[in-house]
Amino acid sequence: AVVSTQSGHYGRDLSMEQENVYYKKADYIETASGNKVSRQSVLCGSQNIILNGKTIIQSECIIRGDLSNVRIGRQCVIGSKSIIRPPFRKFAKGVAFFPLQMGDHVMIGEQSVVNAANIGSYVNIGRNVVIGKRCVIKDCSTIADNSYLPPETVVPPFTLWAGNPAKIVAELPESTQDTMIDLTREYYSHFIGRKE
């Protein structure tokens, strides 16, 4: 399902009813704070990765906590085969990595690569998106499917970005925060483990 805007079709239809997504309980680790992490995902440097609760990390994701700290807020969904990697900067004497911070109620679609410095809360990143290094994505914004956000881009709140390179294609309504809270909560409650 896609969201339609005046300039085309972008991302998931946020108004549709969430269908149940079933997974084998043996394939996921569930933490005391309700995080659900696929055993098929790779969390490098897990001591540097903080999940604040009720976050879902689907299969075949890679989170590079070995490079720098990665902090992920509450009720986020990281789609399968996505890569979350702290941003870096080259210096004369080498490379330095910087922490990656992600707010609450963030959805990242399948097969996306995220090198951002900071992702606010209530952000919807589509499928097959590349977020360049050191980008800052403010609260209540959306990056459409198949978009490329160039390095060091600052995405203002309540904007929809699309394209390669991505640019603003629409403004988002003030209800975006409530929509993302509902979307991530619904997804979590319909992400159901089965014993098989």
Side-chain angles (χ1 to χ4, degrees):
V2 289
V3 174
S4 180
T5 68
Q6 289 180 332
S7 48
H9 297 285
Y10 304 104
R12 299 177 219 42
D13 183 350
L14 304 181
S15 63
M16 288 185 63
E17 186 91 7
Q18 176 66 47
E19 295 179 11
N20 287 344
V21 176
Y22 296 101
Y23 66 92
K24 284 189 201 170
K25 279 196 169 184
D27 290 348
Y28 277 76
I29 298 165
E30 187 164 356
T31 68
S33 58
N35 298 307
K36 297 179 181 182
V37 180
S38 170
R39 291 180 189 275
Q40 278 85 46
S41 283
V42 178
L43 276 62
C44 305
S46 56
Q47 71 277 9
N48 297 327
I49 299 171
I50 297 171
L51 307 176
N52 283 335
K54 293 192 173 182
T55 285
I56 297 170
I57 298 177
Q58 295 179 341
S59 63
E60 299 179 65
C61 290
I62 299 173
I63 301 181
R64 296 295 307 270
D66 58 325
L67 302 174
S68 189
N69 292 341
V70 176
R71 181 181 293 268
I72 298 175
R74 291 184 57 75
Q75 292 215 284
C76 295
V77 179
I78 312 295
S80 62
K81 299 180 182 171
S82 290
I83 299 171
I84 311 295
R85 184 172 52 211
F88 67 90
R89 175 170 275 152
K90 291 181 182 175
F91 294 100
K93 295 184 179 178
V95 174
F97 285 89
F98 298 93
L100 187 155
Q101 180 120 6
M102 188 182 302
D104 301 332
H105 302 284
V106 173
M107 285 197 87
I108 297 176
E110 297 174 0
Q111 297 183 323
S112 289
V113 178
V114 177
N115 286 308
N118 194 300
I119 298 173
S121 295
Y122 325 110
V123 171
N124 193 351
I125 296 173
R127 295 176 181 89
N128 197 33
V129 170
V130 175
I131 306 291
K133 59 185 186 253
R134 297 188 304 279
C135 286
V136 175
I137 302 175
K138 303 283 185 156
D139 295 354
C140 302
S141 55
T142 296
I143 312 298
D145 293 350
N146 306 309
S147 295
Y148 168 68
L149 201 61
E152 301 186 2
T153 302
V154 176
V155 174
F158 298 103
T159 55
L160 169 63
W161 289 59
N164 182 1
K167 59 185 186 290
I168 297 175
V169 294
E171 291 187 7
L172 297 175
E174 290 183 23
S175 62
T176 301
Q177 177 175 334
D178 295 333
T179 302
M180 286 306 297
I181 290 170
D182 292 345
L183 183 68
T184 54
R185 282 184 178 159
E186 282 285 302
Y187 194 96
Y188 187 87
S189 65
H190 288 273
F191 195 71
I192 298 168
R194 286 180 165 169
K195 292 180 181 174
E196 290 185 44

